[in-house]
Amino acid sequence: MPEKTPLTDIITARIAQQGRITFADFMASCLYEPGLGYYTSPGRKVGAEGDFYTSITVHAAFGRVIGREIAQMWRSMGTPTGFTLVECGAGNGRLACDIMDYLAEQETLMYEGLRLVLVEKEPSLESAQHEMLAAHSDRLTWLSPDEFSSGSFTFSGCLYSNELIDALPVHRVVMTSEGLRELYVTCTDGELAEDIGEPSTPEIEAYLKRVDVELHVGQQAEVNLNAPQWLAAAAKSLERGYILTIDYGYTAAELYTPRRKLGTLLCYYRHQTEENPYIRLGLQDITTHVDFTTLMKCGEELGLQNVWFGEQYRFLLSAGIVEEIEEIERSARADEEKLRLRLTLKKLIMPEGGMGDTFRVLIQSRGVTSPKLLCQRRIGG
Ligand SMILES: C[S@@+](CC[C@H](N)C(=O)[O-])C[C@H]1O[C@@H](n2cnc3c(N)ncnc32)[C@H](O)[C@@H]1O
């Protein structure tokens, strides 16, 4: 596999013309350059033939448990006749399909007044989503990210996302004895290289200050200014209801601990991790862990209430994965298949090594008095 790609030439030419660029601009091109970015070029990204798995690809039970919680959200809002589900970063529509299937099967009254809005940066995924959600097509509409954040879209219901925020471009910083500096991407002798300079915007220092983080000299970190911007758009569009965010990440104190000297930036290519973001541009995924403290603090500033935050395994266990497993046990499947499914589902909830504890769930609300959600139940209680 060539380390250089057509995108390498485009970015190199851009730097030659306009000078060094921020890592956020570099990452935005690598992931979203029209036709050439990782998410904006053809090819399977998620699943066995792709570069990484998400919880959605593991089993439909993941979406069904989210469906259970969404039905509880609807109840907590007094079973309104209309309820809108919005998914941001909907990919191929698999998660939306599992949630809608569950609600159509188990929550017929809610399903009657349900509409689904998909927001996805890559417009070509619309046909895959259309196909995946054929059974629910009468409820389905689409919004571009620009339309979503324009301020003209409002709804009551639940906006959810899975692994959206880890895919938003980040700035990279390093603390030096002279103060905070930003890492830029430049070109030296025709090769991409890193350069260091004053932060490109005062928002970076303001971000770290908001979460009370002081990096140690020599420590590198990422600052995701797109995350609070996205949340601001989400909060503005939410008239009443919930925002449910699932992603891998930590609180700011855990994320920016001095022990994590090089930050959390990682690339994925064919199920292998890679630390060098300057190779295979557009062919490998680039991600960083999410800072959930920023989402919680910004949410409060935006008038949202933080309802629940915790590990994905706790969320799934208290919101109904055991009931889903019991249903599989009661089903007419062969014993061998049941065993295989039990082992598969373990991946979602295993606290160590699985997807259970690196993944976190944050639920925020607006206009719901004392919400009582399934995930707030005691596990096993
Ligand atoms: C890591 S993938 C996750 C896809 C899917 N949610 C899953 O879990 O399999 C991130 C997705 O978010 C999309 N995306 C990135 N920025 C976005 C934005 N601002 N609004 C909507 N979608 C976005 C990308 O195109 C990509 O499909």
Side-chain angles (χ1 to χ4, degrees):
M1 177 54 60
E3 304 259 302
K4 288 195 176 175
T5 66
L7 198 51
T8 319
D9 295 334
I10 291 178
I11 294 178
T12 311
R14 202 170 285 161
I15 293 171
Q17 204 180 30
Q18 69 182 57
R20 67 185 186 184
I21 57 175
T22 64
F23 190 85
D25 285 342
F26 169 76
M27 184 168 165
S29 282
C30 291
L31 298 186
Y32 304 112
E33 186 81 22
L36 293 172
Y38 183 74
Y39 287 109
T40 46
S41 53
R44 191 91 196 263
K45 318 294 181 191
V46 188
E49 304 137 47
D51 300 295
F52 58 93
Y53 290 104
T54 69
S55 298
I56 296 161
T57 44
V58 175
H59 194 269
F62 179 73
R64 293 177 67 85
V65 175
I66 296 172
R68 282 172 188 263
E69 190 65 286
I70 288 173
Q72 183 65 19
M73 291 173 176
W74 171 69
R75 283 191 190 90
S76 77
M77 290 167 69
T79 65
T81 44
F83 189 93
T84 301
L85 273 179
V86 182
E87 178 169 354
C88 281
N92 66 2
R94 177 79 255 173
L95 178 58
C97 180
D98 293 338
I99 294 174
M100 293 297 279
D101 284 352
Y102 174 84
L103 295 174
E105 252 173 53
Q106 304 289 333
E107 300 284 350
T108 42
L109 186 61
M110 177 187 182
Y111 187 76
E112 270 174 32
L114 194 60
R115 81 182 173 117
L116 171 66
V117 180
L118 298 184
V119 187
E120 169 52 60
K121 197 168 175 97
E122 173 45 31
S124 72
L125 285 168
E126 204 173 300
S127 59
Q129 294 160 352
H130 198 75
E131 209 174 298
M132 180 77 75
L133 284 147
H136 311 284
S137 59
D138 53 337
R139 278 130 227 279
L140 181 56
T141 50
W142 285 270
L143 278 182
S144 71
D146 285 346
E147 288 165 329
F148 170 73
S149 51
S150 67
S152 56
F153 169 67
T154 54
F155 74 99
S156 274
C158 173
L159 183 159
Y160 65 92
S161 66
N162 185 60
E163 293 203 37
L164 164 74
I165 296 176
D166 71 67
L168 300 179
V170 296
H171 292 262
R172 292 178 86 190
V173 293
V174 60
M175 183 56 85
T176 71
S177 48
E178 278 85 48
L180 190 71
R181 296 290 180 268
E182 181 159 359
L183 294 177
Y184 291 84
V185 183
T186 187
C187 214
T188 312
D189 301 329
E191 299 291 325
L192 291 172
E194 282 176 357
D195 195 10
I196 189 171
E198 292 288 331
S200 56
T201 157
E203 284 179 56
I204 293 177
E205 281 197 279
Y207 178 110
L208 293 171
K209 205 165 165 209
R210 180 169 47 222
V211 289
D212 274 334
V213 164
E214 273 200 39
L215 300 177
H216 285 210
V217 171
Q219 190 181 351
Q220 271 186 35
E222 300 89 26
V223 172
N224 188 340
L225 296 181
N226 284 301
Q229 268 171 27
W230 172 81
L231 186 68
K236 208 167 164 196
S237 65
L238 178 68
E239 284 175 342
R240 184 164 178 254
Y242 296 86
I243 298 176
L244 187 160
T245 306
I246 306 174
D247 220 315
Y248 42 88
Y250 303 108
T251 60
E254 294 168 301
L255 184 65
Y256 294 112
T257 165
R259 286 198 307 278
R260 214 182 295 285
K261 280 200 158 46
L262 295 174
T264 62
L265 191 114
L266 258 192
C267 308
Y268 287 87
Y269 182 69
R270 302 200 174 150
H271 296 278
Q272 302 283 325
T273 55
E274 165 62 57
E275 286 176 8
N276 184 356
Y278 304 113
I279 57 171
R280 301 191 198 105
L281 307 195
L283 299 180
Q284 63 178 9
D285 191 17
I286 308 178
T287 75
T288 57
H289 281 53
V290 171
D291 161 15
F292 279 99
T293 306
T294 288
L295 295 181
M296 288 188 265
K297 285 205 166 188
C298 291
E300 282 171 345
E301 286 164 20
L302 295 158
L304 301 178
Q305 192 188 338
N306 292 313
V307 179
W308 196 86
F309 171 63
E311 294 90 342
Q312 174 172 298
Y313 82 93
R314 287 184 193 281
F315 171 83
L316 291 175
L317 283 173
S318 45
I321 195 125
V322 175
E323 288 88 331
E324 285 297 324
I325 295 173
E326 281 167 357
E327 255 169 50
I328 292 172
E329 291 299 317
R330 280 196 298 272
S331 68
R333 293 176 172 89
D335 284 350
E336 210 176 298
E337 198 198 337
K338 286 182 184 171
L339 176 66
R340 197 181 51 75
L341 282 174
R342 275 203 300 273
L343 292 174
T344 304
L345 290 177
K346 240 171 91 178
K347 265 196 211 156
L348 292 174
I349 46 179
M350 282 230 306
E352 276 169 37
M355 298 171 117
D357 70 346
T358 32
F359 280 80
R360 305 279 166 102
V361 178
L362 171 65
I363 301 180
Q364 295 163 295
S365 71
R366 184 193 296 292
V368 193
T369 328
S370 316
K372 297 237 173 340
L373 298 183
L374 299 178
C375 61
Q376 292 167 315
R377 301 185 298 188
R378 281 188 40 216
I379 296 174

